[in-house]
Amino acid sequence: MFVRRRAPGPFLLRTAVDTEVTVGAFEQIRKEFEAMRASEPTEEELALARNALTLVLPLQFEVKGQITGRRVEAISYGLADDYWRTFAEEVRAVTPDDVLEAARRYLSPDGLVLLAVGDVARFAADLEEFGSVEVSSAEPAVEAPGA
């Protein structure tokens, strides 16, 4: 998931798995991450991504609030006036090599941070194979007033 912003930002991937497969899920995520940097997507994968980005466009311009939101977005990020009119065409022009180049440029394994939420006692030790593990409590650090 990419979050629009003026400067580079994080690439986020989220999933929900059962506790007993947490470590396996992290292993698979890491493999997929590495595979994205190792080879071009297939035409089928690229078509799926193109469709996900472009076929929803009409749904994002159905009501005044959505149209206004897209315009605010264009102004906020300095996008061209015709950005949304040409968006689908630009997406369809992306090649498998373009995707590979972007993955190699922006998806750095050295910057990978994994976050797990759950019964930490059941998987924390196994997560050490991915690097240092920091455990935090979900409890608030400060008691809420009036509690």
Side-chain angles (χ1 to χ4, degrees), residues 11 13 26 108-115:
F11 172 83
L13 182 143
F26 278 172
S108 171
D110 297 334
L112 189 60
V113 175
L114 302 171
L115 172 68

Side-chain angles (χ1 to χ4, degrees), residues 1-143:
M1 172 175 76
F2 288 99
V3 178
R4 287 188 179 92
R5 56 184 73 214
R6 287 189 179 268
F11 172 83
L12 305 172
L13 182 143
R14 296 179 189 158
T15 187
V17 298
D18 292 330
T19 299
E20 59 271 5
V21 297
T22 299
V23 174
F26 278 172
E27 289 170 350
Q28 188 60 42
I29 289 167
R30 186 172 56 186
K31 285 178 187 175
E32 292 296 327
F33 197 85
E34 291 169 359
M36 289 171 67
R37 291 175 44 87
S39 61
E40 296 177 349
T42 65
E43 282 299 328
E44 181 181 347
E45 290 169 328
L46 193 52
L48 184 64
R50 285 178 181 138
N51 288 342
L53 290 168
T54 60
L55 295 180
V56 299
L57 284 174
L59 301 175
Q60 296 177 6
F61 291 87
E62 288 186 310
V63 296
K64 292 176 189 176
Q66 290 173 311
I67 295 167
T68 302
R70 296 288 88 75
R71 186 66 189 131
V72 167
E73 196 172 47
I75 292 167
S76 297
Y77 297 110
L79 305 176
D81 287 340
D82 67 347
Y83 178 82
W84 289 112
R85 277 194 299 274
T86 62
F87 180 81
E89 180 182 328
E90 295 287 333
V91 169
R92 286 191 293 271
V94 172
T95 67
D97 189 57
D98 293 334
V99 174
L100 180 59
E101 181 182 333
R104 288 180 175 164
R105 181 173 179 188
Y106 295 109
L107 301 180
S108 171
D110 297 334
L112 189 60
V113 175
L114 302 171
L115 172 68
V117 177
D119 186 354
V120 69
R122 292 179 57 192
F123 55 73
D126 294 331
L127 291 179
E128 291 179 0
E129 74 177 81
F130 300 103
S132 64
V133 174
E134 181 181 322
V135 177
S136 298
S137 172
E139 299 298 320
V142 177
E143 190 172 311

